[in-house]
PDB file of all heavy atoms in Angstrom:
ATOM      1  N   SER V 546     -25.025 -33.886 -46.941  1.00 89.00           N
ATOM      2  CA  SER V 546     -23.911 -34.625 -46.338  1.00 89.00           C
ATOM      3  C   SER V 546     -23.960 -34.727 -44.812  1.00 89.00           C
ATOM      4  O   SER V 546     -23.338 -35.620 -44.233  1.00 89.00           O
ATOM      5  CB  SER V 546     -22.580 -33.975 -46.737  1.00 89.00           C
ATOM      6  OG  SER V 546     -22.522 -32.638 -46.245  1.00 89.00           O
ATOM      7  N   SER V 547     -24.663 -33.826 -44.127  1.00 89.00           N
ATOM      8  CA  SER V 547     -24.636 -33.794 -42.663  1.00 89.00           C
ATOM      9  C   SER V 547     -25.996 -34.192 -42.090  1.00 89.00           C
ATOM     10  O   SER V 547     -26.985 -33.461 -42.242  1.00 89.00           O
ATOM     11  CB  SER V 547     -24.253 -32.392 -42.170  1.00 89.00           C
ATOM     12  OG  SER V 547     -24.367 -32.316 -40.763  1.00 89.00           O
ATOM     13  N   SER V 548     -26.039 -35.311 -41.423  1.00 89.00           N
ATOM     14  CA  SER V 548     -27.297 -35.777 -40.833  1.00 89.00           C
ATOM     15  C   SER V 548     -27.735 -34.859 -39.692  1.00 89.00           C
ATOM     16  O   SER V 548     -28.932 -34.605 -39.505  1.00 89.00           O
ATOM     17  CB  SER V 548     -27.141 -37.210 -40.319  1.00 89.00           C
ATOM     18  OG  SER V 548     -26.100 -37.279 -39.347  1.00 89.00           O
ATOM     19  N   LEU V 549     -26.759 -34.335 -38.916  1.00 89.00           N
ATOM     20  CA  LEU V 549     -27.096 -33.449 -37.802  1.00 89.00           C
ATOM     21  C   LEU V 549     -27.698 -32.148 -38.323  1.00 89.00           C
ATOM     22  O   LEU V 549     -28.738 -31.695 -37.839  1.00 89.00           O
ATOM     23  CB  LEU V 549     -25.846 -33.166 -36.964  1.00 89.00           C
ATOM     24  CG  LEU V 549     -26.012 -32.171 -35.795  1.00 89.00           C
ATOM     25  CD1 LEU V 549     -27.056 -32.670 -34.813  1.00 89.00           C
ATOM     26  CD2 LEU V 549     -24.669 -31.941 -35.090  1.00 89.00           C
ATOM     27  N   TYR V 550     -27.061 -31.562 -39.318  1.00 89.00           N
ATOM     28  CA  TYR V 550     -27.553 -30.297 -39.877  1.00 89.00           C
ATOM     29  C   TYR V 550     -28.925 -30.495 -40.501  1.00 89.00           C
ATOM     30  O   TYR V 550     -29.832 -29.671 -40.329  1.00 89.00           O
ATOM     31  CB  TYR V 550     -26.559 -29.779 -40.927  1.00 89.00           C
ATOM     32  CG  TYR V 550     -26.914 -28.423 -41.493  1.00 89.00           C
ATOM     33  CD1 TYR V 550     -26.510 -27.262 -40.863  1.00 89.00           C
ATOM     34  CD2 TYR V 550     -27.669 -28.304 -42.664  1.00 89.00           C
ATOM     35  CE1 TYR V 550     -26.834 -26.005 -41.367  1.00 89.00           C
ATOM     36  CE2 TYR V 550     -28.007 -27.058 -43.175  1.00 89.00           C
ATOM     37  CZ  TYR V 550     -27.580 -25.915 -42.520  1.00 89.00           C
ATOM     38  OH  TYR V 550     -27.913 -24.683 -43.044  1.00 89.00           O
ATOM     39  N   ARG V 551     -29.097 -31.585 -41.221  1.00 89.00           N
ATOM     40  CA  ARG V 551     -30.369 -31.864 -41.884  1.00 89.00           C
ATOM     41  C   ARG V 551     -31.482 -32.067 -40.861  1.00 89.00           C
ATOM     42  O   ARG V 551     -32.600 -31.548 -41.027  1.00 89.00           O
ATOM     43  CB  ARG V 551     -30.227 -33.113 -42.767  1.00 89.00           C
ATOM     44  CG  ARG V 551     -31.485 -33.433 -43.585  1.00 89.00           C
ATOM     45  CD  ARG V 551     -31.211 -34.518 -44.611  1.00 89.00           C
ATOM     46  NE  ARG V 551     -30.681 -35.731 -44.016  1.00 89.00           N
ATOM     47  CZ  ARG V 551     -29.429 -36.151 -44.150  1.00 89.00           C
ATOM     48  NH1 ARG V 551     -28.549 -35.423 -44.842  1.00 89.00           N
ATOM     49  NH2 ARG V 551     -29.010 -37.272 -43.586  1.00 89.00           N
ATOM     50  N   GLU V 552     -31.187 -32.767 -39.783  1.00 88.00           N
ATOM     51  CA  GLU V 552     -32.200 -33.014 -38.765  1.00 88.00           C
ATOM     52  C   GLU V 552     -32.623 -31.709 -38.082  1.00 88.00           C
ATOM     53  O   GLU V 552     -33.817 -31.469 -37.875  1.00 88.00           O
ATOM     54  CB  GLU V 552     -31.645 -33.988 -37.718  1.00 88.00           C
ATOM     55  CG  GLU V 552     -32.662 -34.370 -36.644  1.00 88.00           C
ATOM     56  CD  GLU V 552     -32.103 -35.355 -35.627  1.00 88.00           C
ATOM     57  OE1 GLU V 552     -30.927 -35.747 -35.766  1.00 88.00           O
ATOM     58  OE2 GLU V 552     -32.838 -35.722 -34.702  1.00 88.00           O
ATOM     59  N   VAL V 553     -31.651 -30.853 -37.758  1.00 86.00           N
ATOM     60  CA  VAL V 553     -31.963 -29.560 -37.139  1.00 86.00           C
ATOM     61  C   VAL V 553     -32.802 -28.713 -38.081  1.00 86.00           C
ATOM     62  O   VAL V 553     -33.802 -28.100 -37.678  1.00 86.00           O
ATOM     63  CB  VAL V 553     -30.661 -28.827 -36.750  1.00 86.00           C
ATOM     64  CG1 VAL V 553     -30.968 -27.394 -36.302  1.00 86.00           C
ATOM     65  CG2 VAL V 553     -29.925 -29.572 -35.650  1.00 86.00           C
ATOM     66  N   HIS V 554     -32.427 -28.698 -39.349  1.00 86.00           N
ATOM     67  CA  HIS V 554     -33.153 -27.878 -40.332  1.00 86.00           C
ATOM     68  C   HIS V 554     -34.585 -28.372 -40.518  1.00 86.00           C
ATOM     69  O   HIS V 554     -35.534 -27.571 -40.581  1.00 86.00           O
ATOM     70  CB  HIS V 554     -32.409 -27.905 -41.671  1.00 86.00           C
ATOM     71  CG  HIS V 554     -33.092 -27.094 -42.741  1.00 86.00           C
ATOM     72  ND1 HIS V 554     -33.131 -25.726 -42.731  1.00 86.00           N
ATOM     73  CD2 HIS V 554     -33.792 -27.499 -43.856  1.00 86.00           C
ATOM     74  CE1 HIS V 554     -33.806 -25.294 -43.782  1.00 86.00           C
ATOM     75  NE2 HIS V 554     -34.220 -26.348 -44.478  1.00 86.00           N
ATOM     76  N   GLU V 555     -34.751 -29.660 -40.605  1.00 84.00           N
ATOM     77  CA  GLU V 555     -36.088 -30.214 -40.807  1.00 84.00           C
ATOM     78  C   GLU V 555     -36.986 -29.959 -39.607  1.00 84.00           C
ATOM     79  O   GLU V 555     -38.169 -29.613 -39.758  1.00 84.00           O
ATOM     80  CB  GLU V 555     -35.985 -31.717 -41.076  1.00 84.00           C
ATOM     81  CG  GLU V 555     -35.378 -32.041 -42.435  1.00 84.00           C
ATOM     82  CD  GLU V 555     -35.169 -33.538 -42.635  1.00 84.00           C
ATOM     83  OE1 GLU V 555     -35.357 -34.297 -41.632  1.00 84.00           O
ATOM     84  OE2 GLU V 555     -34.798 -33.942 -43.742  1.00 84.00           O
ATOM     85  N   LEU V 556     -36.442 -30.096 -38.393  1.00 83.00           N
ATOM     86  CA  LEU V 556     -37.239 -29.846 -37.195  1.00 83.00           C
ATOM     87  C   LEU V 556     -37.658 -28.381 -37.123  1.00 83.00           C
ATOM     88  O   LEU V 556     -38.798 -28.068 -36.783  1.00 83.00           O
ATOM     89  CB  LEU V 556     -36.455 -30.234 -35.942  1.00 83.00           C
ATOM     90  CG  LEU V 556     -36.281 -31.738 -35.675  1.00 83.00           C
ATOM     91  CD1 LEU V 556     -35.325 -31.960 -34.511  1.00 83.00           C
ATOM     92  CD2 LEU V 556     -37.633 -32.380 -35.380  1.00 83.00           C
ATOM     93  N   GLN V 557     -36.744 -27.483 -37.451  1.00 78.00           N
ATOM     94  CA  GLN V 557     -37.065 -26.064 -37.416  1.00 78.00           C
ATOM     95  C   GLN V 557     -38.033 -25.675 -38.527  1.00 78.00           C
ATOM     96  O   GLN V 557     -38.886 -24.806 -38.350  1.00 78.00           O
ATOM     97  CB  GLN V 557     -35.780 -25.238 -37.506  1.00 78.00           C
ATOM     98  CG  GLN V 557     -34.901 -25.368 -36.262  1.00 78.00           C
ATOM     99  CD  GLN V 557     -33.581 -24.627 -36.390  1.00 78.00           C
ATOM    100  OE1 GLN V 557     -33.281 -24.036 -37.432  1.00 78.00           O
ATOM    101  NE2 GLN V 557     -32.787 -24.664 -35.336  1.00 78.00           N
ATOM    102  N   SER V 558     -37.937 -26.336 -39.646  1.00 75.00           N
ATOM    103  CA  SER V 558     -38.871 -26.070 -40.754  1.00 75.00           C
ATOM    104  C   SER V 558     -40.275 -26.514 -40.376  1.00 75.00           C
ATOM    105  O   SER V 558     -41.269 -25.851 -40.684  1.00 75.00           O
ATOM    106  CB  SER V 558     -38.403 -26.794 -42.028  1.00 75.00           C
ATOM    107  OG  SER V 558     -37.133 -26.321 -42.441  1.00 75.00           O
ATOM    108  N   GLU V 559     -40.362 -27.656 -39.681  1.00 67.00           N
ATOM    109  CA  GLU V 559     -41.672 -28.147 -39.230  1.00 67.00           C
ATOM    110  C   GLU V 559     -42.280 -27.183 -38.202  1.00 67.00           C
ATOM    111  O   GLU V 559     -43.476 -26.895 -38.241  1.00 67.00           O
ATOM    112  CB  GLU V 559     -41.513 -29.537 -38.603  1.00 67.00           C
ATOM    113  CG  GLU V 559     -41.183 -30.631 -39.626  1.00 67.00           C
ATOM    114  CD  GLU V 559     -40.960 -31.967 -38.941  1.00 67.00           C
ATOM    115  OE1 GLU V 559     -41.143 -32.038 -37.710  1.00 67.00           O
ATOM    116  OE2 GLU V 559     -40.599 -32.942 -39.630  1.00 67.00           O
ATOM    117  N   ASP V 560     -41.424 -26.679 -37.285  1.00 59.00           N
ATOM    118  CA  ASP V 560     -41.921 -25.745 -36.274  1.00 59.00           C
ATOM    119  C   ASP V 560     -42.406 -24.454 -36.928  1.00 59.00           C
ATOM    120  O   ASP V 560     -43.414 -23.867 -36.506  1.00 59.00           O
ATOM    121  CB  ASP V 560     -40.814 -25.419 -35.259  1.00 59.00           C
ATOM    122  CG  ASP V 560     -40.488 -26.625 -34.392  1.00 59.00           C
ATOM    123  OD1 ASP V 560     -41.330 -27.539 -34.314  1.00 59.00           O
ATOM    124  OD2 ASP V 560     -39.375 -26.642 -33.805  1.00 59.00           O
TER     125      ASP V 560
END
Side-chain angles (χ1 to χ4, degrees):
S546 62
S547 174
S548 59
L549 176 60
Y550 185 86
R551 184 170 56 251
E552 183 179 359
V553 171
H554 180 71
E555 290 175 352
L556 287 172
Q557 292 176 358
S558 298
E559 290 177 4
D560 291 340

